[in-house]
Amino acid sequence: MLVNRRTALKQVLVVSAGLALLPSCLRKTTPASITLKNIAVDGEGENMLALLADTLIPTTSTPGAKDVKAHLFALTMVDDCFKKDDQQKWLTGMKAFSALSEKNNGKSFGDSTPEARKTLLELLEKSKPEDGEAAYFYHATKRLIVQGYTNSEYYLTKVQVYELVPGRFYGSVPVKPAGRKTA
């Protein structure tokens, strides 16, 4: 079979384009749902944060932290507001938190039962942020999730209704007479 140069170049181009696209087709990790500039968190890490948020403030008759996307608030705060050292410490703590869940529950945090997740969080609640990487991650993330929940639209419109300053004017308040006479 005789192959001319044009056909050979065309086939090499098709094969090289296929090799360039193949790794992205075989990639199992999904990217995070929000764009992060300074930290690298994949979809699995985001799901773990969502489950952590749901374990901390679960959904009942009211929306939970996962429903108001407090975990995305925490990710954004770590990405935008933490110093480089603290971002690396938080990422290292995230890995240590996953490893601690594997060690204690035999499963990842996402695959653990809700009771096992709660037990792990109770264990970390007794620790201080200085006690280790997982403890730092837990306490920093818990603070951010609670902040995100209390700053959410649901919380500020349904639970603690925010009124703009100066607030209401109560003009019919009875005035008490002064106790002493002034000049």
Side-chain angles (χ1 to χ4, degrees):
M1 176 175 171
L2 187 61
V3 177
N4 63 11
R5 187 166 60 175
R6 179 175 282 189
T7 305
L9 286 174
K10 194 185 304 180
Q11 289 175 346
V12 166
L13 183 67
V14 168
V15 169
S16 60
L19 289 175
L21 293 175
L22 187 63
S24 63
C25 295
L26 297 176
R27 196 165 105 188
K28 291 183 178 180
T29 58
T30 57
S33 63
I34 59 173
T35 304
L36 301 170
K37 298 174 195 164
N38 301 316
I39 59 173
V41 175
D42 58 358
E44 185 178 328
E46 183 183 325
N47 287 338
M48 186 192 72
L49 274 180
L51 287 172
L52 176 62
D54 196 43
T55 307
L56 287 172
I57 305 173
T59 302
T60 56
S61 60
T62 61
K66 183 180 175 183
D67 299 327
V68 299
K69 299 184 187 325
H71 61 289
L72 296 180
F73 173 81
L75 268 178
T76 304
M77 290 296 286
V78 170
D79 188 52
D80 290 346
C81 301
F82 277 28
K83 296 177 186 171
K84 285 283 183 196
D85 294 340
D86 292 336
Q87 288 173 346
Q88 289 306 315
K89 191 174 178 182
W90 187 83
L91 287 172
T92 305
M94 188 174 183
K95 291 176 185 168
F97 180 80
S98 294
L100 183 65
S101 176
E102 294 262 348
K103 180 182 169 189
N104 284 4
N105 302 331
K107 298 177 182 176
S108 67
F109 190 74
D111 294 336
S112 300
T113 63
E115 291 79 24
R117 285 186 216 143
K118 189 174 176 183
T119 304
L120 179 66
L121 296 189
E122 288 172 354
L123 175 73
L124 287 170
E125 189 66 37
K126 294 174 187 171
S127 66
K128 294 179 182 176
E130 301 85 22
D131 290 346
E133 296 166 337
Y136 172 79
F137 168 78
Y138 170 71
H139 288 284
T141 306
K142 177 185 171 187
R143 179 178 54 83
L144 291 172
I145 286 173
V146 169
Q147 182 182 0
Y149 186 78
T150 55
N151 288 333
S152 69
E153 180 181 348
Y154 166 76
Y155 187 83
L156 291 177
T157 56
K158 305 288 184 204
V159 178
Q160 185 175 5
V161 179
Y162 176 76
E163 291 186 22
L164 290 173
V165 174
R168 297 172 193 245
F169 175 71
Y170 298 104
S172 61
V173 176
V175 177
K176 296 179 184 175
R180 62 181 187 149
K181 294 183 180 181
T182 57

